[in-house]
Amino acid sequence: MRLILLGPPGAGKGTQAQRLTEKLGIPQVSTGDMLRAAVAAGTPLGREAKAYMDRGALVPDGVVIGIIRERLKAPDCARGYILDGFPRTVAQAEALGETLEAMGTPLTAVLSLTVDPEELVRRLAGRRSCGSCGAAYHLDTAPPRRPGRCDRCGGELFQREDDREETIRKRLAVYRDQTAPLVVYYRGRGLLKEVDGRGEIADVFARVCRLLGAEG
Ligand code: AMP
């Protein structure tokens, strides 16, 4: 399966993509994760991307399109993948369409996760991750046993620079203006499947699986 997970920041794309990865045995391809890794490694790409990311803006299309083109050629993508956080603009969607057409590998479906804006702010502002192993927590819904420490490895928990309230509002506005048009774009191509992203992670996952015909 070649899937796109579409939805505003905080809709649960990363969480659902991770679960789908386990169930379907295909990789999660997250441009946000790849860019954060480049920032952490201090590569030229990371240095270019950091300024955009810290202020909640999108990294230029040419940069992310180049990263994705390379990534989709990797052997682990041969059986399919779950795109998480890409495409985010119509230009990216068009570039992806051209790439996939040239590869002879059309998309299977685009899942659009829908969640109310106020709920998104609450989810993002409470999000914390472990600096050592990457485990995800939420101060309200999935708190660590010891404040500030990872249950799994004892590492220190941190808040993403762009998960602070002011930047969250900016990211939501960027989503509305630049990414939400993709819902219409993919609906017009008969690929869109809308999923109610509210509620428990397991319930949302059950809805996702039902839509994909991947129950059980
Ligand atoms: P995410 O983890 O998907 O929320 O992405 C974090 C940040 O990385 C975004 O706010 C953007 O600055 C950047 N980013 C991730 N994916 C893309 C993309 N497809 N296009 C442009 N910028 C991106």
Side-chain angles (χ1 to χ4, degrees):
M1 276 197 208
R2 285 176 292 273
L3 303 172
I4 292 176
L5 280 183
L6 197 62
K13 298 186 297 294
T15 305
Q16 297 299 326
Q18 235 159 31
R19 295 219 163 184
L20 279 172
T21 284
E22 287 159 22
K23 189 172 179 102
L24 303 175
I26 52 177
Q28 169 187 10
V29 174
S30 158
T31 40
D33 286 349
M34 292 193 277
L35 291 168
R36 277 185 290 279
V39 170
T43 64
L45 164 70
R47 283 199 294 275
E48 183 184 352
K50 187 175 188 316
Y52 296 98
M53 295 170 79
D54 282 352
R55 61 170 203 269
L58 294 183
V59 172
D61 285 335
V63 175
V64 275
I65 290 168
I67 299 178
I68 278 286
R69 283 211 171 113
E70 279 309 304
R71 180 68 186 89
L72 297 187
K73 282 194 235 151
D76 66 327
C77 288
R79 288 185 45 245
Y81 42 78
I82 302 147
L83 290 177
D84 157 17
F86 182 93
R88 261 183 157 93
T89 63
V90 171
Q92 291 179 19
E94 284 174 345
L96 176 68
E98 283 164 23
T99 302
L100 297 187
E101 197 176 327
M103 292 171 80
T105 55
L107 286 170
T108 310
V110 177
L111 297 179
S112 168
L113 285 168
T114 54
V115 179
D116 309 324
E118 280 318 306
E119 168 75 9
L120 294 172
V121 175
R122 196 186 61 73
R123 285 189 187 182
L124 289 167
R127 194 154 80 164
R128 299 289 183 276
S129 344
C130 172
S132 306
C133 75
Y137 295 89
H138 192 281
L139 296 184
D140 302 330
T141 55
R145 283 195 292 272
R146 268 193 305 154
R149 288 280 159 199
C150 179
D151 294 350
R152 227 199 271 166
C153 74
E156 197 174 337
L157 302 188
F158 73 99
Q159 181 179 38
R160 267 170 54 172
E161 197 61 44
D162 59 353
D163 274 346
R164 296 173 200 279
E165 185 145 349
E166 210 183 288
T167 319
I168 291 172
R169 303 253 173 223
K170 170 80 199 297
R171 288 164 66 207
L172 292 176
V174 166
Y175 176 81
R176 190 193 56 219
D177 296 343
Q178 302 196 58
T179 309
L182 293 182
V183 171
V184 175
Y185 179 91
Y186 284 118
R187 188 182 288 130
R189 283 161 179 74
L191 286 166
L192 194 80
K193 293 180 190 290
E194 285 186 273
V195 189
D196 182 352
R198 291 171 303 175
E200 299 290 323
I201 291 171
D203 296 335
V204 178
F205 188 59
R207 280 177 224 137
V208 166
C209 291
R210 217 173 301 132
L211 270 177
L212 292 175
E215 289 132 296

